[in-house]
Amino acid sequence: MKKALFTMCCMLLITRVWSQAVEFIKTTHDFGEVKEEGGAISYTFQFVNQGDEPVQVTGVKASCGCTTPDWTREAVSPGDTGKIVAQYNPYNRPGKFKKSLSMNYKTGEISDGATLYIEGIVQPKPKTIEDELPTRIGAIRLQYKALNLGKITNESVVKKSFQVYNESDSVVIFQVDKSKIPAHVRVQFSPDTLPPKTLGALDLIFDPVLKDDLGFVTDELRLVTDEPEDSIKDLTVMATIQEYFPPMSDEELALAPRLAFDRTQHDYGRVTQGNAVATTFELTNTGKQSLKIRKVKTNCDCAVGELETNELAPGESAQLEVTFDTSGRRGRQYKTITVFSNDPTASTQMISVKAIVD
């Protein structure tokens, strides 16, 4: 036992002595502030072989694909200097960074390693109009063809402004094709006559009460300009509408309706293409007031959810039949059914069905 411990201590001592054969001038380099658009930056770490035998670097591995290492390939003789080069590409990587390089080397029969670090702060490149508004339709630039309002509630009218830019050398006059705008959407331009090389705003006014829907919704919108070409600009209005609930006390929440499912997933298994399969989910009102199902929506026309009643008294249950038509489908299928209710704690709940269509 004592002999084994003595041998282990000797080996550790030898390893420590040999590990000191490589001595770096420094192991961390701070680039400070660098520009994102300035191209790749590099630093050379130098080491000295302080031992009595040649040192062979066997590999250097970076912690990130953004860092490219290089190193002295030939053996470094005692007293000579070797190098590890770290190159970092700051493009699309604004902000602070700290990356490591793991170096492995051999001295005789002894293998060892060292860890080096590079760090700094990447200053983001100034964004151009093309960066900010990458979508071009005729002379006009926008961020996207889809005007996304994000998550909203059906409490009141929502207004959101979207930037537009006239890239041409001529004035552009905006109009709206009223035949292509729904009743719950209004559009205003500021200004409606946009000078060349100028930013303006498209203000979208959306009335979720008039829309009378819940969940993810889309509408088509057509803008018209006086441009000789590409004067028609078809856009999409997007929003996710949630039911509005006023602030409620703990006592009020304790008395509120509650929607619960007997399960949230169903697997139809393997189904032959062209067949329709069905399953039934059970909904229960576990709350203290009447539960009202506002809407049942599926993410595909191939799936249909039919509910036997839209209102459940406290403690009452109802069946939701979900039918999946496999016509035109093939392979693994996953469909979702979203149920909207007046449960203030979880007004939007999702269940799913899946199948493998042969």
Side-chain angles (χ1 to χ4, degrees), residues 90-320:
Y91 184 69
N92 277 342
R93 297 181 176 91
K96 290 185 178 181
F97 69 90
K98 185 170 185 177
K99 306 297 177 183
S100 65
L101 296 93
S102 299
M103 166 207 180
N104 295 309
Y105 64 90
K106 288 187 69 174
T107 305
E109 298 299 321
I110 305 297
S111 297
D112 209 336
T115 302
L116 309 172
Y117 298 94
I118 56 172
E119 60 186 9
I121 300 174
V122 178
Q123 294 179 335
K125 66 175 182 178
K127 290 190 175 182
T128 64
I129 285 293
E130 289 77 8
D131 293 330
E132 296 281 2
L133 306 174
T135 302
R136 180 174 178 175
I137 314 174
I140 299 302
R141 281 193 173 274
L142 306 95
Q143 188 172 20
Y144 306 112
K145 279 190 175 182
L147 307 177
N148 193 353
L149 295 170
K151 289 184 179 180
I152 63 176
T153 70
N154 57 4
E155 177 191 15
S156 59
V157 171
V158 175
K159 180 179 179 180
K160 186 172 181 179
S161 184
F162 299 87
Q163 284 188 320
V164 293
Y165 180 75
N166 178 4
E167 195 169 64
S168 73
D169 296 321
S170 304
V171 171
V172 170
I173 300 175
F174 288 100
Q175 296 176 341
V176 176
D177 185 344
K178 294 185 178 180
S179 66
K180 293 289 185 178
I181 184 169
H184 58 276
V185 174
R186 287 189 295 122
V187 178
Q188 296 174 346
F189 297 99
S190 178
D192 55 7
T193 299
L194 190 60
K197 311 299 182 185
T198 304
L199 270 173
L202 183 161
D203 295 326
L204 191 67
I205 299 97
F206 187 95
D207 190 337
V209 176
L210 279 179
K211 177 64 175 174
D212 191 26
D213 203 348
L214 292 168
F216 181 72
V217 298
T218 62
D219 292 290
E220 299 307 311
L221 176 66
R222 173 169 289 180
L223 308 182
V224 181
T225 65
D226 64 339
E227 298 167 65
E229 297 180 359
D230 299 316
S231 60
I232 295 176
K233 307 175 193 309
D234 289 322
L235 307 176
T236 302
V237 178
M238 302 165 55
T240 301
I241 306 174
Q242 299 175 327
E243 182 162 350
Y244 171 74
F245 294 93
M248 302 175 70
S249 66
D250 291 341
E251 291 77 12
E252 289 174 321
L253 286 172
L255 296 174
R258 291 284 190 275
L259 171 61
F261 290 91
D262 62 335
R263 58 202 169 98
T264 57
Q265 295 182 341
H266 178 75
D267 188 351
Y268 291 115
R270 304 194 79 93
V271 184
T272 302
Q273 188 182 60
N275 289 338
V277 288
T279 188
T280 300
F281 293 87
E282 186 174 84
L283 290 68
T284 302
N285 178 8
T286 60
K288 302 295 180 62
Q289 293 179 356
S290 177
L291 176 70
K292 297 177 181 180
I293 307 300
R294 307 295 196 197
K295 192 175 289 286
V296 176
K297 296 179 75 171
T298 62
N299 68 336
C300 174
D301 292 340
C302 59
V304 178
E306 294 185 353
L307 189 62
E308 61 181 359
T309 180
N310 290 322
E311 188 166 354
L312 286 76
E316 188 178 2
S317 297
Q319 304 297 311
L320 172 62

